[in-house]
Amino acid sequence: MSQIRNTWRLLPVYIFLYTPMAALVAFSFNNSKFSTAWKGFTWQWYARLASNTQLMDAAINSLTIAILSATIATVLGVLLAVALFRYRFCGRRAVQAGLFVVMMSPDIVLGISLLLLFVLMGIRPGFLPLLTAHTTFCLPFVVATVYSRLKGFDPHVIEAAEDLGASEYQAFKNVILPMIMPAVAAGWLLSFTLSMDDVIISFFMTGPDYEVLPLQIYSMVKMGVKPDVNALSTIMIGVTVCLVFVSQLLMRKTK
Amino acid sequence: MNMHNRFRFLSISGAILWLSVFGLFPGLLMMGTSFLARHEAHLVDFRFSLEGYRTIIDPAFLKILWNSLYLAAGTTLLCLLAAYPFAYTLARMETRWKKVLLMLVMIPFWTNSLVRTYALVFMLKTRGIVSTILVWLGITAKPVSFMYTEAAVFIGLTYTLLPFMILPLYSAVEKIDGKMIEAARDLGAGSWRTFFHVTLPLTMPGIVAGCMMVFLPALGMFFVPDMLGGGKHLLVGNFIKNQFLVARDWPTGAAAGVVLTLLMLALIYVHGVSKGRLNKAGKKKS
């Protein structure tokens, strides 16, 4: 009985979180360009979205950046997490502190400092700055995800492998990696999502020749509601729901 | 170097290299730029100058900084007040729906914040959902718009950042040993006393972590005031963005970035202290 009462107590927050998103999803099917009144169901905004090459290109660019940066961040992050877990090297504390600072840094600070770096290096905004910036801000999250998984298992297993003659690389590949695989996958998914979510850092990294989705949306909606953006946003919310679901399944396997 | 060490060497040095080039070095560049002078044509003039800092102690910037701190602090407080009871109730529930309920918090957490801010426009604009409900209830006679007000910026920041407060609080509450609360109750403490002397101190690191995750982004999320505040009610983020892209005064923008970084380091310090205190207290007891 009290469980039901507790669920009721949670309700206001869920209403607050979901009503705007539900409204957005609903209006993406509304057969009216400007009105918020319901004028009947339509797929036309989705059809129009499919023919909007600018948005479609930006979507493909965003996916490319998200997949590549998540992959690089995962490779680097897994190696770093394992190194932090197994080895006591000089600068270990500094690396941990650095990761924490990058994780907590306001996006705007990361954005302008990376902008300065690329201006100094003479690299024009676009693909490469986006890729490196996204990899950088994803890296600490991968390390944190994998490291917390590593802390959960018995270090004797690695020692046993080494006593049996495995090299450090073999121990990593055959013993550690299979054990942390769910965390590796979760770290990749988290990075992918972080990359797709980012607005502020990308803002300083994109140029006219390489646009990404959030910024394309940003420049379109500054002037008010756009029905094809509604359709696109609905798809993005749908993708997020699927990703959260998959990551929850992965986390369940971790335990 | 033998095979044995190469893997170790490569994995450590690769990561350190990446962090130094794309983490540490850009930070130093920002600090360096803040001490340079402005140059009309070349963005910066390579001579030492405090112009950047002189511009940000100008009343015009201080007003933006003050307004931004006020909006960020208000948002943090709103998030904390809404999230604490929520996270507490959710973490202490024992039902098989708990995982689903938690997942329903993860979805907004993972959804693009720009898309979520955009979704708020449907609620707040004239003849939007809120306005329609108010008219229907008879509270207002005519449709009202909430857009471009300070309240809209507050709602926008709270809406985008609330999940960032809920999740750290949830994991802090979940870690509490239920026996601690039972013990306090058995020893005769009332619910308020139990809360202030047991629950609150134990969840303090979660509170500080949540506040950091809300407060720091709230200073920088320039697109929220852009979309909902109509360019009034500016944040430090808007100021920095304008210095870099519109006013082209990079030293001043960098100086404002340094101010934000110092603020972050101070908060990290507070977080470390609150965590350290809890660990120390825990060790003393056991």
Side-chain angles (χ1 to χ4, degrees), chain A residues 67-89:
Chain A
I67 290 171
L68 288 177
S69 64
T71 309
I72 302 172
T74 305
V75 172
L76 283 171
V78 168
L79 290 175
L80 184 57
V82 171
L84 286 171
F85 178 71
R86 285 173 78 183
Y87 312 131
R88 298 286 169 269
F89 53 93

Side-chain angles (χ1 to χ4, degrees), chain B residues 162-240:
Chain B
L162 185 61
F164 292 80
M165 182 68 93
I166 293 176
L167 293 176
L169 285 177
Y170 174 85
S171 61
V173 175
E174 216 187 19
K175 268 187 215 139
I176 297 181
D177 188 349
K179 285 185 194 120
M180 294 261 215
I181 293 166
E182 272 167 41
R185 292 302 194 99
D186 288 347
L187 292 169
S191 28
W192 284 102
R193 237 179 118 167
T194 312
F195 177 74
F196 281 107
H197 291 273
V198 182
T199 318
L200 195 63
L202 284 172
T203 48
M204 205 37 112
I207 294 175
V208 178
C211 288
M212 277 168 80
M213 306 241 318
V214 172
F215 186 78
L216 288 170
L219 293 168
M221 296 181 94
F222 57 76
F223 55 87
V224 175
D226 269 3
M227 285 169 73
L228 303 174
K232 294 180 272 176
H233 316 290
L234 294 179
L235 303 179
V236 177
N238 297 78
F239 177 81
I240 297 178

Side-chain angles (χ1 to χ4, degrees), chain A residues 3 6-7 9-10 13-14 16-21 23-24 27 34 36 72 76 79-80 83 86-87 89-90 95 98-102 104-106 108-110 112-120 131-132 135-136 139 166-169 172 186 189-190 193 196-200 203-204 214-215 217-218 221-222 224-227 229-230 233 236-237 240-241 243-245 247-248 252 255, chain B residues 4-5 7-8 11-12 14-16 18-19 21-23 25-27 29-30 33 43 46 82 85-86 89-90 92-95 99 101-116 118-123 125-129 155 158-159 162-163 166 209 212-213 216-217 220-223 226-227 236-238 240-241 244-245 250 253-254 257 260-261 264-265 268 271:
Chain A
Q3 291 295 337
N6 278 341
T7 317
R9 244 193 271 166
L10 299 177
V13 170
Y14 285 121
F16 176 64
L17 288 175
Y18 280 93
T19 317
M21 290 210 279
L24 175 60
F27 283 114
F34 300 108
T36 39
I72 302 172
L76 283 171
L79 290 175
L80 184 57
R86 285 173 78 183
Y87 312 131
F89 53 93
C90 89
V95 169
L99 285 169
F100 189 62
V101 169
V102 171
M104 293 314 295
S105 281
I108 186 110
V109 170
L110 272 182
I112 58 168
S113 33
L114 284 163
L115 174 69
L116 288 167
L117 176 77
F118 291 114
V119 168
L120 189 76
L131 183 66
T132 38
T135 307
T136 306
L139 185 62
S167 75
E168 303 215 353
Y169 173 68
F172 171 76
L189 272 177
L190 181 59
T193 327
M196 291 296 284
D197 281 1
D198 174 66
V199 181
I200 296 173
F203 185 86
F204 293 98
L215 291 162
I217 297 177
Y218 182 51
V221 299
K222 259 193 271 185
V225 170
K226 292 270 164 28
V229 174
N230 300 352
S233 303
M236 287 169 81
I237 293 172
T240 309
V241 172
L243 284 175
V244 171
F245 198 73
S247 77
Q248 288 300 300
R252 191 172 295 174
K255 281 166 194 166
Chain B
H4 188 70
N5 276 334
F7 175 72
R8 176 197 301 211
S11 58
I12 295 173
I16 289 182
W18 188 284
L19 270 182
V21 175
F22 298 111
F25 184 59
L29 268 180
M30 179 181 73
T33 309
L43 300 171
F46 285 94
F86 178 86
T89 312
L90 183 58
R92 304 203 69 78
M93 267 169 99
E94 278 158 31
T95 116
K99 274 211 174 94
L101 289 171
L102 187 64
M103 213 168 94
L104 286 174
V105 181
M106 305 287 289
I107 289 169
F109 183 82
W110 281 33
T111 304
N112 190 300
S113 45
L114 187 73
V115 167
R116 296 212 301 132
Y118 176 57
L120 270 182
V121 176
F122 288 90
M123 306 297 293
K125 67 178 182 177
T126 333
R127 298 177 199 279
I129 308 243
I155 295 170
T158 308
Y159 182 64
L162 185 61
I166 293 176
M212 277 168 80
M213 306 241 318
L216 288 170
M221 296 181 94
F222 57 76
F223 55 87
D226 269 3
M227 285 169 73
V236 177
N238 297 78
I240 297 178
K241 184 192 105 185
F244 269 85
L245 299 173
W250 288 27
L260 272 192
T261 311
M264 169 194 68
L265 292 176
I268 288 182
H271 177 62

